[in-house]
Amino acid sequence: MGTLLSSALVAGMLISVAPVNVMALGGPSGPKIDYQVTGKIGQVEMDPYGYAPLTAVIRDGGYDLSDVHVKIVPKKGGQVIEYDVTDNKIKQNGGIPVFGLYADYKNKIEVKYTRNFNGKIEKIKEAYTIYAPPVYQTGSGKRGQNGLPFAKVEVKKVDKEFSDRLYLVNNIQGKNAKSAQMIWNNPAGGALEWNYPSNAFIVDTHGEVRWYINTEELIQYDNMFRTGIMMGFQQNNDGALSWGFGQRYVKYDLMGREIFDRQLPKSYNDFSHSMESLDNGNFILRVASSNKKRPDGRNVRTVRDVILEVDAQGNVVDDWKLYDILDPYRSTVMTSLDQGAVCLNVDASASGHTMTKEDIAKMDKSDHFGDIVGSGPGRNWAHVNSVDYDKSDDSIIISSRHQSANIKIGRDKKVKWILGAHEGWGKEYQDKLLTPIDAKGNKIVCENGKCPGYLDEDKGGFDWTWTQHTAFVIDSKSNKDVTYLSVFDNGDGRGLEQPAIASMKYSRAVIYKIDQKKMTVQQVWEYGKQRGNEWYSPITSITEYEKDKDSIMVYSATAGMGGYDFKKGKPMGAPKPEIVEFKWGSTVPSVQMKFYGTGAGYQAMPISVSKAFSGK
């Protein structure tokens, strides 16, 4: 009897304490919400997606928000960043997205919004104070590096009309101990070993960093499918950024939110330089072939000579295999290049040297394939550094650095025209070569790569582009008959020769007018020749028309590198990349900003915050 009572008593005790145990696991004494709410909605979340440290989200706190406006209060005398936010962007981010914080600074952010809670609608204006951490990027370990992403900026000029500009700058740090540890095998070749570290950041017109990508999270140097030089940045119509690196192409918004992050289709490898978004949602990428069988029976990975089109889901739509469309053995330009800066294989010990046709022929018998200048598939014979889609006739325009030519190719894979020196092209291309004319329509006769106007404005004011970068159609000024093309003319090998003194080299930003029916080309604008060698960029750079301000934006990305000291075998100076922007037709810049301590620049471009957050 006593045993029964004891059992019943114990059972009752267990029953009585059971609810207490449940309460302890999930009730009032369980998880506690104790984050700090500093305003009238929710908590502040810094770098919400892990890739953009100078962004934040003011969480909505469970309220319905609308009519949002954000203003980043500038430092004294600094640049205001302010923008409206659409309702869908609020929902996408779970609150108010904050972009453009100053690094290592207590930022004041003013927000206005409508708050709806249980039918009660309030118009609220309030301010937040948010500290953003310093910019952090891993250094290269090189003795020449003295700042990241730069040491200083010299803002020489900003006209009032351009004072709201924000520029995305994409630079290359060069090879270091972490990068370029891998090469392709089976088959050999390709450009994998030239996967240098890079960075991308946004500066305002006062030289303040207002955004950057955290490459420490994005890049993995020990994974060949997640490493590479970030290149080909473009702001899409939806305000997000697309670009690529190595074996990947990606799209992220300005808050750092991943939209997609994809590996290249397996038939292709080594993305670099160019990624363009099309109106139909497709993307055009500059890649290479991952397995090309040459006529001699050898299988190789090619180098910078294939254009790929993919749809919005990443499916292959089309490709342009340039080694089948152009002449990969045209060596006319390559024999005049400075081998110290063949891009990206910058080798100061080879400065001032060129190659003979015999040298190039010997290379083609070698099994050493890779990103070195040379002829034929598997060599860096084309070095395509930009691709632009011309929707007027469903064509692409490429800039081929190692052919010193800008070339238009149709969907049918046929060449439509070639803007470049006429020397060295086979008979099948002769009727595709554009004829230079002056402003009156008179033919300009160029011989051996030299045009009379490149030394004397009175004789036509015309020159070809040499080892150029970026050939972009100016859509708003072009039609099916007439194309305006912006190009950065780097200038190495100008006139198919090296000058007597390296310091004679210069670069140009140039605009051409192409009559596609008459097959003529007129040079209508240029800048840079008057700056001489101090503005000379042996590699990289960009010239692009900006419709919003009817302007031309130029980034002379390795200006200051100058010529090479042949005796010492090294550049004569450190790169001092320079942004200049001009009103259409003017040769006097409205913006002039020079960067110091950056390493080699690559490209720069204006960024629209309004497009990113308010869709305008």
Side-chain angles (χ1 to χ4, degrees):
M1 186 73 174
T3 302
L4 290 172
L5 286 171
S6 299
S7 299
L9 182 61
V10 170
M13 293 173 63
L14 289 171
I15 292 169
S16 66
V17 299
V20 176
N21 288 335
V22 172
M23 292 286 285
L25 289 171
S29 60
K32 183 181 179 183
I33 298 173
D34 59 357
Y35 53 75
Q36 186 183 60
V37 176
T38 58
K40 297 183 178 181
I41 40 178
Q43 76 272 33
V44 173
E45 182 180 2
M46 297 296 295
D47 190 9
Y49 302 102
Y51 293 109
L54 301 184
T55 66
V57 170
I58 303 170
R59 299 298 297 271
D60 60 27
Y63 299 100
D64 290 329
L65 305 182
S66 61
D67 306 320
V68 170
H69 182 82
V70 179
K71 177 181 178 180
I72 313 299
V73 178
K75 293 180 179 179
K76 186 176 181 180
Q79 181 173 331
V80 174
I81 292 179
E82 59 181 325
Y83 50 91
D84 296 324
V85 184
T86 60
D87 291 355
N88 66 320
K89 293 292 183 184
I90 298 167
K91 294 172 182 176
Q92 182 74 60
N93 292 285
I96 300 174
V98 177
F99 165 90
L101 298 173
Y102 290 103
D104 192 21
Y105 185 74
K106 276 194 169 185
N107 292 267
K108 182 180 179 182
I109 298 94
E110 295 177 349
V111 294
K112 294 187 288 186
Y113 56 89
T114 299
R115 187 180 74 177
N116 187 339
F117 179 61
N118 283 341
K120 182 181 180 181
I121 298 175
E122 298 176 90
K123 299 280 188 181
I124 296 174
K125 179 179 179 180
E126 58 177 342
Y128 289 78
T129 300
I130 302 175
Y131 173 78
V135 174
Y136 174 75
Q137 295 177 325
T138 299
S140 67
K142 296 182 177 181
R143 61 188 175 192
Q145 188 172 70
N146 59 1
L148 273 175
F150 50 79
K152 67 174 183 176
V153 181
E154 181 184 4
V155 180
K156 291 191 170 184
K157 182 182 182 183
V158 180
D159 287 350
K160 185 176 181 180
E161 183 182 352
F162 291 81
S163 62
D164 61 343
R165 273 293 193 227
L166 294 170
Y167 295 102
L168 184 145
V169 181
N170 176 204
N171 288 338
I172 304 168
Q173 293 186 40
K175 189 180 291 187
N176 66 27
K178 278 189 174 182
S179 67
Q181 301 180 73
M182 295 169 285
I183 60 172
W184 288 118
N185 192 10
N186 192 31
L192 177 63
E193 61 186 292
W194 276 266
N195 279 342
Y196 302 159
S198 51
N199 56 40
F201 55 94
I202 293 175
V203 294
D204 64 20
T205 54
H206 294 260
E208 294 275 5
V209 176
R210 308 299 291 269
W211 179 93
Y212 72 98
I213 295 172
N214 183 357
T215 55
E216 306 303 312
E217 294 294 325
L218 189 69
I219 305 295
Q220 299 170 10
Y221 295 112
D222 57 354
N223 180 345
M224 68 165 54
F225 293 103
R226 291 213 65 88
T227 186
I229 304 173
M230 296 191 301
M231 287 180 158
F233 280 87
Q234 183 186 42
Q235 188 172 28
N236 294 230
N237 290 335
D238 60 4
L241 298 175
S242 56
W243 73 96
F245 55 95
Q247 314 315 313
R248 310 195 75 77
Y249 65 105
V250 304
K251 184 177 180 180
Y252 287 74
D253 68 20
L254 287 185
M255 295 299 292
R257 180 180 66 89
E258 177 187 318
I259 298 171
F260 64 73
D261 187 329
R262 300 175 182 148
Q263 186 175 324
L264 292 174
K266 288 188 176 295
S267 290
Y268 313 93
N269 55 248
D270 298 342
F271 166 89
S272 66
H273 291 82
S274 183
M275 177 175 178
E276 182 181 13
S277 60
L278 307 186
D279 291 343
N280 64 359
N282 291 2
F283 291 89
I284 288 183
L285 314 170
R286 208 303 330 279
V287 294
S289 173
S290 60
N291 199 344
K292 160 68 178 172
K293 186 174 285 292
R294 288 163 43 106
D296 59 10
R298 287 182 285 188
N299 287 61
V300 298
R301 291 178 186 267
T302 68
V303 178
R304 299 183 171 100
D305 58 6
V306 176
I307 313 305
L308 169 66
E309 182 178 2
V310 295
D311 66 17
Q313 288 71 46
N315 301 304
V316 175
V317 174
D318 202 354
D319 64 16
W320 290 257
K321 295 176 179 177
L322 298 178
Y323 45 74
D324 291 334
I325 300 171
L326 302 173
D327 176 9
Y329 291 96
R330 179 180 180 255
S331 58
T332 306
V333 172
M334 283 177 257
T335 57
S336 65
L337 295 183
D338 184 340
Q339 293 300 294
V342 298
C343 188
L344 293 165
N345 187 29
V346 178
D347 180 5
S349 66
S351 299
H353 299 294
T354 57
M355 290 203 304
T356 65
K357 290 184 178 180
E358 291 73 23
D359 292 333
I360 291 175
K362 288 178 183 177
M363 288 178 63
D364 201 42
K365 295 179 181 179
S366 167
D367 286 326
H368 183 196
F369 291 93
D371 190 23
I372 53 177
V373 71
S375 292
R379 314 288 184 193
N380 196 3
W381 67 274
H383 197 110
V384 175
N385 52 42
S386 78
V387 185
D388 196 30
Y389 179 72
D390 188 348
K391 59 186 176 183
S392 71
D393 60 0
D394 193 25
S395 299
I396 60 170
I397 296 174
I398 66 165
S399 163
S400 173
R401 183 185 195 271
H402 290 169
Q403 298 298 315
S404 281
N406 308 291
I407 305 165
K408 187 170 194 177
I409 306 171
R411 179 69 68 177
D412 60 1
K413 314 304 184 290
K414 302 294 184 183
V415 173
K416 293 196 171 189
W417 49 252
I418 298 171
L419 171 54
H422 291 192
E423 285 72 19
W425 294 97
K427 62 181 181 180
E428 66 268 41
Y429 305 105
Q430 290 300 309
D431 63 344
K432 309 301 181 185
L433 297 166
L434 295 175
T435 298
I437 60 172
D438 62 19
K440 296 179 180 178
N442 299 315
K443 181 180 177 180
I444 297 173
V445 178
C446 303
E447 296 179 325
N448 299 319
K450 299 176 181 63
C451 302
Y454 101 95
L455 292 176
D456 188 345
E457 295 290 337
D458 294 332
K459 294 182 179 180
F462 182 90
D463 194 11
W464 307 112
T465 60
W466 302 95
T467 59
Q468 76 290 320
H469 281 70
T470 63
F472 295 144
V473 178
I474 303 177
D475 293 309
S476 61
K477 297 183 184 294
S478 303
N479 55 48
K480 275 195 171 185
D481 296 332
V482 175
T483 295
Y484 282 84
L485 197 72
S486 66
V487 189
F488 189 92
D489 170 18
N490 292 78
D492 185 37
R494 188 178 300 281
L496 294 174
E497 64 183 9
Q498 290 292 313
I501 303 172
S503 60
M504 295 171 66
K505 295 181 181 182
Y506 60 86
S507 297
R508 303 181 305 148
V510 59
I511 306 293
Y512 293 105
K513 180 182 179 182
I514 299 166
D515 189 316
Q516 299 183 114
K517 284 189 173 181
K518 296 179 180 178
M519 292 293 286
T520 59
V521 56
Q522 177 193 347
Q523 180 179 299
V524 297
W525 179 87
E526 71 171 359
Y527 174 85
K529 186 190 299 186
Q530 70 273 39
R531 299 283 301 272
N533 193 248
E534 62 102 8
W535 203 71
Y536 169 61
S537 280
I539 56 175
T540 67
S541 307
I542 184 172
T543 302
E544 188 168 20
Y545 176 75
E546 303 300 333
K547 187 178 180 180
D548 65 332
K549 295 187 186 294
D550 192 27
S551 62
I552 296 292
M553 203 290 305
V554 185
Y555 187 45
S556 186
T558 47
M561 185 182 285
Y564 286 83
D565 186 322
F566 297 158
K567 293 182 179 180
K568 295 181 180 178
K570 64 180 183 179
M572 296 170 78
K576 301 176 185 65
E578 185 174 317
I579 290 174
V580 283
E581 191 164 2
F582 305 83
K583 288 299 293 180
W584 178 259
S586 175
T587 55
V588 178
S590 294
V591 176
Q592 189 173 9
M593 299 171 62
K594 184 177 287 190
F595 296 83
Y596 298 83
T598 61
Y602 178 60
Q603 289 185 352
M605 63 208 66
I607 290 295
S608 169
V609 180
S610 177
K611 185 186 291 186
F613 295 105
S614 59
K616 300 176 182 178

